[in-house]
Amino acid sequence: MAPRAMDRLKLWSRDQRGIAAVEFALIAAPFFFLIFGLLEICVIFIMSAVLEHGINEAARGIRTGQMQEGGFGEVAFKNAVCSELFDLLDCGDKLRFDVKTFSDFSSTEAVTPIDEDGELDDSEFDFDPGNANDIVVVRVFYEWDLITPILSAPLANMSNGRRLLQSTVAFRNEPFGGS
């Protein structure tokens, strides 16, 4: 009986049927983790670039004095940012901005607005577009919901599988208004 069992064992060990399925089963999880993670990073990069474009275009109105002279405020600035986002980002409650004036470029601050609970703390946000020749820092934040929150958990920097996208532009206002 032992030689017969040995022969069957040898035949079974040489059998190649189903080996591809077994190999794929071994590498499928890391492969899909890598693919979905790469796609998530690409989408985050694209949305960050769209947000960057939106803030640069909208901040031009502050830099040239159009927002100050026309009596426009936060709503007009938010509309200006939203009109440049190509409808790729929701301009509802997920989009927040902070516009502050500083005395010099060295006194500008880059403090993260994420609190210890992983939520966006906008209590210090302001809208002060300044006057002619003022130094202004415009920061725009967007709470991005990750597409694959379980697989992309290392990319989340907020609670509930979200990532805070941020764009900042600093400039000196032009000498508008006859100054």
Side-chain angles (χ1 to χ4, degrees):
M1 181 104 161
R4 189 175 227 182
M6 288 299 288
D7 288 341
R8 285 193 181 267
L9 184 61
K10 285 180 186 177
L11 283 173
W12 181 78
S13 67
R14 286 189 228 136
D15 189 2
Q16 297 293 315
R17 294 176 296 174
I19 195 79
V22 172
E23 288 174 349
F24 181 74
L26 292 174
I27 65 164
F31 174 74
F32 286 120
F33 183 78
L34 182 67
I35 294 297
F36 286 122
L38 183 62
L39 288 174
E40 187 82 61
I41 289 172
C42 290
V43 169
I44 288 172
F45 178 76
I46 290 168
M47 294 305 138
S48 294
V50 167
L51 191 63
E52 187 79 28
H53 168 76
I55 187 177
N56 281 325
E57 293 299 318
R60 183 175 290 136
I62 293 175
R63 187 170 41 249
T64 60
Q66 293 172 345
M67 290 283 174
Q68 295 88 329
E69 290 175 351
F72 298 110
E74 294 181 50
V75 174
F77 181 73
K78 186 173 184 176
N79 290 337
V81 171
C82 290
S83 69
E84 298 293 335
L85 297 181
F86 309 112
D87 293 330
L88 294 174
L89 299 171
D90 177 27
C91 286
D93 295 335
K94 294 181 177 186
L95 182 69
R96 311 235 181 93
F97 52 89
D98 183 26
V99 180
K100 292 185 179 172
T101 304
F102 293 91
S103 58
D104 57 27
F105 283 104
S106 63
S107 65
T108 61
E109 56 192 49
V111 178
T112 182
I114 300 175
D115 64 15
E116 60 276 351
D117 296 326
E119 296 296 325
L120 180 64
D121 179 17
D122 61 356
S123 61
E124 298 291 320
F125 287 6
D126 195 11
F127 186 80
D128 180 13
N131 297 311
N133 297 314
D134 282 347
I135 295 171
V136 179
V137 174
V138 180
R139 300 187 311 162
V140 175
F141 303 94
Y142 187 82
E143 296 177 34
W144 176 258
D145 294 318
L146 295 174
I147 298 168
T148 55
I150 295 172
L151 295 177
S152 302
L155 298 174
N157 60 359
M158 296 181 72
S159 63
N160 299 326
R162 295 173 297 155
R163 176 152 189 92
L164 185 65
L165 305 180
Q166 175 180 345
S167 182
T168 303
V169 61
F171 52 86
R172 182 180 296 276
N173 281 344
E174 294 179 1
F176 52 83
S179 298

